[in-house]
mmCIF file of all heavy atoms in Angstrom:
data_model
loop_
_atom_site.group_PDB
_atom_site.id
_atom_site.type_symbol
_atom_site.label_atom_id
_atom_site.label_comp_id
_atom_site.label_asym_id
_atom_site.label_seq_id
_atom_site.Cartn_x
_atom_site.Cartn_y
_atom_site.Cartn_z
ATOM 1 N N ARG A 1261 -1.433 19.342 84.090
ATOM 2 C CA ARG A 1261 -2.042 20.518 83.476
ATOM 3 C C ARG A 1261 -1.105 21.711 83.546
ATOM 4 O O ARG A 1261 -0.987 22.493 82.599
ATOM 5 C CB ARG A 1261 -3.359 20.834 84.188
ATOM 6 C CG ARG A 1261 -4.116 22.015 83.585
ATOM 7 C CD ARG A 1261 -5.490 22.141 84.215
ATOM 8 N NE ARG A 1261 -6.044 23.465 83.962
ATOM 9 C CZ ARG A 1261 -6.528 24.272 84.875
ATOM 10 N NH1 ARG A 1261 -6.543 23.899 86.138
ATOM 11 N NH2 ARG A 1261 -7.015 25.445 84.559
ATOM 12 N N TYR A 1262 -0.422 21.860 84.675
ATOM 13 C CA TYR A 1262 0.557 22.940 84.837
ATOM 14 C C TYR A 1262 1.686 22.809 83.830
ATOM 15 O O TYR A 1262 2.058 23.774 83.146
ATOM 16 C CB TYR A 1262 1.123 22.921 86.253
ATOM 17 C CG TYR A 1262 2.400 23.719 86.415
ATOM 18 C CD1 TYR A 1262 2.352 25.091 86.615
ATOM 19 C CD2 TYR A 1262 3.643 23.095 86.340
ATOM 20 C CE1 TYR A 1262 3.525 25.825 86.744
ATOM 21 C CE2 TYR A 1262 4.805 23.824 86.470
ATOM 22 C CZ TYR A 1262 4.738 25.187 86.674
ATOM 23 O OH TYR A 1262 5.889 25.907 86.790
ATOM 24 N N VAL A 1270 5.408 29.017 76.941
ATOM 25 C CA VAL A 1270 6.770 29.308 76.507
ATOM 26 C C VAL A 1270 6.887 29.232 74.993
ATOM 27 O O VAL A 1270 7.521 30.066 74.347
ATOM 28 C CB VAL A 1270 7.780 28.352 77.178
ATOM 29 C CG1 VAL A 1270 9.149 28.475 76.537
ATOM 30 C CG2 VAL A 1270 7.861 28.654 78.659
ATOM 31 N N LEU A 1285 -0.585 32.026 82.460
ATOM 32 C CA LEU A 1285 -0.899 32.857 83.610
ATOM 33 C C LEU A 1285 0.215 32.721 84.650
ATOM 34 O O LEU A 1285 0.578 31.635 85.068
ATOM 35 C CB LEU A 1285 -2.228 32.408 84.232
ATOM 36 C CG LEU A 1285 -2.661 33.133 85.513
ATOM 37 C CD1 LEU A 1285 -2.937 34.605 85.209
ATOM 38 C CD2 LEU A 1285 -3.895 32.464 86.109
ATOM 39 N N PRO A 1291 9.459 35.894 90.849
ATOM 40 C CA PRO A 1291 10.271 36.934 91.500
ATOM 41 C C PRO A 1291 11.590 36.402 92.027
ATOM 42 O O PRO A 1291 12.542 37.166 92.208
ATOM 43 C CB PRO A 1291 9.361 37.414 92.639
ATOM 44 C CG PRO A 1291 8.446 36.261 92.918
ATOM 45 C CD PRO A 1291 8.197 35.634 91.573
ATOM 46 N N GLU A 1292 11.664 35.091 92.254
ATOM 47 C CA GLU A 1292 12.890 34.519 92.811
ATOM 48 C C GLU A 1292 14.064 34.572 91.832
ATOM 49 O O GLU A 1292 15.219 34.381 92.237
ATOM 50 C CB GLU A 1292 12.648 33.071 93.260
ATOM 51 C CG GLU A 1292 12.410 32.071 92.133
ATOM 52 C CD GLU A 1292 10.985 32.091 91.611
ATOM 53 O OE1 GLU A 1292 10.191 32.967 91.990
ATOM 54 O OE2 GLU A 1292 10.654 31.197 90.798
ATOM 55 N N CYS A 1297 17.898 37.587 86.493
ATOM 56 C CA CYS A 1297 17.508 38.049 85.165
ATOM 57 C C CYS A 1297 18.183 39.376 84.835
ATOM 58 O O CYS A 1297 18.769 39.536 83.758
ATOM 59 C CB CYS A 1297 15.988 38.182 85.100
ATOM 60 S SG CYS A 1297 15.365 38.780 83.510
ATOM 61 N N LEU A 1305 24.568 43.392 78.017
ATOM 62 C CA LEU A 1305 24.417 44.759 77.522
ATOM 63 C C LEU A 1305 25.396 45.729 78.178
ATOM 64 O O LEU A 1305 25.761 46.741 77.590
ATOM 65 C CB LEU A 1305 22.989 45.259 77.766
ATOM 66 C CG LEU A 1305 21.903 44.816 76.786
ATOM 67 C CD1 LEU A 1305 20.563 45.389 77.202
ATOM 68 C CD2 LEU A 1305 22.242 45.244 75.362
ATOM 69 N N PRO A 1309 18.353 48.156 80.997
ATOM 70 C CA PRO A 1309 17.503 49.123 80.294
ATOM 71 C C PRO A 1309 16.351 49.654 81.136
ATOM 72 O O PRO A 1309 16.179 49.279 82.307
ATOM 73 C CB PRO A 1309 16.985 48.318 79.091
ATOM 74 C CG PRO A 1309 17.990 47.245 78.902
ATOM 75 C CD PRO A 1309 18.424 46.883 80.291
ATOM 76 N N ARG A 1322 12.843 35.590 82.327
ATOM 77 C CA ARG A 1322 12.763 34.925 83.627
ATOM 78 C C ARG A 1322 12.218 33.506 83.473
ATOM 79 O O ARG A 1322 12.663 32.571 84.149
ATOM 80 C CB ARG A 1322 11.879 35.741 84.586
ATOM 81 C CG ARG A 1322 12.476 37.074 84.963
ATOM 82 C CD ARG A 1322 11.876 37.638 86.240
ATOM 83 N NE ARG A 1322 10.445 37.869 86.161
ATOM 84 C CZ ARG A 1322 9.896 39.010 85.771
ATOM 85 N NH1 ARG A 1322 10.663 40.024 85.404
ATOM 86 N NH2 ARG A 1322 8.582 39.153 85.746
ATOM 87 N N ILE A 1325 14.893 31.187 82.270
ATOM 88 C CA ILE A 1325 15.836 30.898 83.354
ATOM 89 C C ILE A 1325 15.286 29.772 84.219
ATOM 90 O O ILE A 1325 15.996 28.811 84.554
ATOM 91 C CB ILE A 1325 16.095 32.154 84.204
ATOM 92 C CG1 ILE A 1325 16.914 33.176 83.412
ATOM 93 C CG2 ILE A 1325 16.838 31.793 85.501
ATOM 94 C CD1 ILE A 1325 17.092 34.508 84.126
ATOM 95 N N GLY A 1331 16.001 21.960 83.965
ATOM 96 C CA GLY A 1331 16.589 21.010 83.032
ATOM 97 C C GLY A 1331 15.785 20.792 81.775
ATOM 98 O O GLY A 1331 16.006 19.818 81.049
ATOM 99 N N ILE A 1333 15.658 22.853 79.113
ATOM 100 C CA ILE A 1333 16.381 23.282 77.917
ATOM 101 C C ILE A 1333 17.877 23.168 78.191
ATOM 102 O O ILE A 1333 18.324 23.309 79.320
ATOM 103 C CB ILE A 1333 16.016 24.720 77.499
ATOM 104 C CG1 ILE A 1333 16.293 25.717 78.625
ATOM 105 C CG2 ILE A 1333 14.581 24.813 77.050
ATOM 106 C CD1 ILE A 1333 16.062 27.166 78.213
ATOM 107 N N SER A 1334 18.621 22.903 77.136
ATOM 108 C CA SER A 1334 20.066 22.723 77.261
ATOM 109 C C SER A 1334 20.756 24.065 77.487
ATOM 110 O O SER A 1334 20.172 25.128 77.275
ATOM 111 C CB SER A 1334 20.624 22.078 75.989
ATOM 112 O OG SER A 1334 20.512 22.983 74.894
ATOM 113 N N ASP A 1335 22.019 24.007 77.911
ATOM 114 C CA ASP A 1335 22.797 25.236 78.085
ATOM 115 C C ASP A 1335 22.864 26.013 76.776
ATOM 116 O O ASP A 1335 22.692 27.236 76.755
ATOM 117 C CB ASP A 1335 24.218 24.911 78.548
ATOM 118 C CG ASP A 1335 24.265 24.409 79.987
ATOM 119 O OD1 ASP A 1335 23.241 24.516 80.694
ATOM 120 O OD2 ASP A 1335 25.330 23.912 80.398
ATOM 121 N N ALA A 1342 18.314 33.303 75.448
ATOM 122 C CA ALA A 1342 18.548 34.459 76.312
ATOM 123 C C ALA A 1342 19.057 35.645 75.503
ATOM 124 O O ALA A 1342 18.583 36.775 75.654
ATOM 125 C CB ALA A 1342 19.544 34.101 77.418
ATOM 126 N N LEU A 1348 15.747 41.787 72.062
ATOM 127 C CA LEU A 1348 14.421 42.402 72.038
ATOM 128 C C LEU A 1348 14.309 43.507 73.081
ATOM 129 O O LEU A 1348 13.717 44.572 72.836
ATOM 130 C CB LEU A 1348 13.343 41.347 72.281
ATOM 131 C CG LEU A 1348 13.095 40.325 71.167
ATOM 132 C CD1 LEU A 1348 12.091 39.278 71.621
ATOM 133 C CD2 LEU A 1348 12.599 41.013 69.902
ATOM 134 N N ASN A 1351 16.324 46.457 71.800
ATOM 135 C CA ASN A 1351 15.626 47.130 70.715
ATOM 136 C C ASN A 1351 14.473 47.982 71.241
ATOM 137 O O ASN A 1351 14.226 49.087 70.753
ATOM 138 C CB ASN A 1351 15.111 46.111 69.702
ATOM 139 C CG ASN A 1351 16.225 45.303 69.072
ATOM 140 O OD1 ASN A 1351 17.403 45.670 69.138
ATOM 141 N ND2 ASN A 1351 15.883 44.178 68.475
ATOM 142 N N GLU A 1361 16.771 60.209 60.124
ATOM 143 C CA GLU A 1361 17.392 61.526 60.112
ATOM 144 C C GLU A 1361 16.894 62.325 61.308
ATOM 145 O O GLU A 1361 15.703 62.313 61.611
ATOM 146 C CB GLU A 1361 17.066 62.288 58.823
ATOM 147 C CG GLU A 1361 17.674 61.696 57.575
ATOM 148 C CD GLU A 1361 17.395 62.551 56.340
ATOM 149 O OE1 GLU A 1361 16.893 63.690 56.523
ATOM 150 O OE2 GLU A 1361 17.677 62.091 55.228
ATOM 151 N N ASP A 1365 15.494 70.623 65.092
ATOM 152 C CA ASP A 1365 15.283 70.879 66.521
ATOM 153 C C ASP A 1365 16.217 70.035 67.379
ATOM 154 O O ASP A 1365 16.723 70.495 68.405
ATOM 155 C CB ASP A 1365 13.830 70.585 66.900
ATOM 156 C CG ASP A 1365 12.873 71.617 66.342
ATOM 157 O OD1 ASP A 1365 13.330 72.703 65.965
ATOM 158 O OD2 ASP A 1365 11.662 71.316 66.270
ATOM 159 N N THR A 1373 22.019 72.384 74.741
ATOM 160 C CA THR A 1373 21.731 71.730 76.020
ATOM 161 C C THR A 1373 22.974 71.085 76.622
ATOM 162 O O THR A 1373 23.647 70.284 75.965
ATOM 163 C CB THR A 1373 20.637 70.664 75.838
ATOM 164 O OG1 THR A 1373 19.492 71.271 75.239
ATOM 165 C CG2 THR A 1373 20.239 70.067 77.179
ATOM 166 N N GLU A 1383 34.710 63.117 74.096
ATOM 167 C CA GLU A 1383 36.016 62.468 74.304
ATOM 168 C C GLU A 1383 35.864 61.158 75.075
ATOM 169 O O GLU A 1383 36.563 60.177 74.786
ATOM 170 C CB GLU A 1383 36.943 63.420 75.056
ATOM 171 C CG GLU A 1383 37.398 64.597 74.214
ATOM 172 C CD GLU A 1383 38.250 65.583 74.990
ATOM 173 O OE1 GLU A 1383 38.391 65.400 76.232
ATOM 174 O OE2 GLU A 1383 38.781 66.529 74.373
ATOM 175 N N GLU A 1396 25.839 61.753 63.373
ATOM 176 C CA GLU A 1396 24.557 61.136 63.012
ATOM 177 C C GLU A 1396 24.344 59.810 63.740
ATOM 178 O O GLU A 1396 23.211 59.346 63.876
ATOM 179 C CB GLU A 1396 24.474 60.914 61.503
ATOM 180 C CG GLU A 1396 25.505 59.923 60.967
ATOM 181 C CD GLU A 1396 25.639 59.974 59.464
ATOM 182 O OE1 GLU A 1396 26.201 60.954 58.949
ATOM 183 O OE2 GLU A 1396 25.176 59.022 58.812
ATOM 184 N N LEU A 1399 24.717 61.350 68.309
ATOM 185 C CA LEU A 1399 24.115 62.532 68.903
ATOM 186 C C LEU A 1399 23.367 62.204 70.185
ATOM 187 O O LEU A 1399 23.568 62.838 71.224
ATOM 188 C CB LEU A 1399 23.184 63.210 67.885
ATOM 189 C CG LEU A 1399 22.608 64.568 68.273
ATOM 190 C CD1 LEU A 1399 22.311 65.394 67.022
ATOM 191 C CD2 LEU A 1399 21.324 64.427 69.090
ATOM 192 N N MET A 1409 26.642 63.717 83.183
ATOM 193 C CA MET A 1409 27.721 64.565 83.700
ATOM 194 C C MET A 1409 27.189 65.814 84.400
ATOM 195 O O MET A 1409 27.833 66.352 85.307
ATOM 196 C CB MET A 1409 28.654 64.971 82.553
ATOM 197 C CG MET A 1409 29.472 63.827 81.992
ATOM 198 S SD MET A 1409 30.418 64.332 80.525
ATOM 199 C CE MET A 1409 31.339 62.819 80.206
ATOM 200 N N GLU A 1435 24.598 52.850 64.019
ATOM 201 C CA GLU A 1435 25.508 52.635 62.887
ATOM 202 C C GLU A 1435 24.948 51.588 61.942
ATOM 203 O O GLU A 1435 24.955 51.769 60.714
ATOM 204 C CB GLU A 1435 26.885 52.202 63.402
ATOM 205 C CG GLU A 1435 27.698 53.326 64.036
ATOM 206 C CD GLU A 1435 29.006 52.852 64.637
ATOM 207 O OE1 GLU A 1435 29.150 51.627 64.852
ATOM 208 O OE2 GLU A 1435 29.869 53.713 64.907
ATOM 209 N N ASP A 1443 15.813 46.054 60.431
ATOM 210 C CA ASP A 1443 15.789 44.605 60.663
ATOM 211 C C ASP A 1443 17.181 44.094 61.024
ATOM 212 O O ASP A 1443 17.340 43.275 61.946
ATOM 213 C CB ASP A 1443 15.261 43.865 59.432
ATOM 214 C CG ASP A 1443 13.768 44.066 59.232
ATOM 215 O OD1 ASP A 1443 13.099 44.510 60.189
ATOM 216 O OD2 ASP A 1443 13.273 43.777 58.130
ATOM 217 N N VAL A 1458 23.975 31.603 84.877
ATOM 218 C CA VAL A 1458 22.764 31.821 85.682
ATOM 219 C C VAL A 1458 22.775 30.889 86.868
ATOM 220 O O VAL A 1458 21.808 30.757 87.546
ATOM 221 C CB VAL A 1458 21.491 31.597 84.835
ATOM 222 C CG1 VAL A 1458 21.359 32.722 83.803
ATOM 223 C CG2 VAL A 1458 21.498 30.243 84.167
#
Side-chain angles (χ1 to χ4, degrees):
R1261 183 172 163 232
Y1262 164 83
V1270 169
L1285 176 65
E1292 69 279 8
C1297 179
L1305 280 179
R1322 293 200 300 269
I1325 290 174
I1333 58 175
S1334 67
D1335 289 348
L1348 290 175
N1351 299 344
E1361 293 184 10
D1365 289 342
T1373 305
E1383 289 177 354
E1396 64 194 72
L1399 188 152
M1409 291 174 176
E1435 286 175 343
D1443 288 344
V1458 290

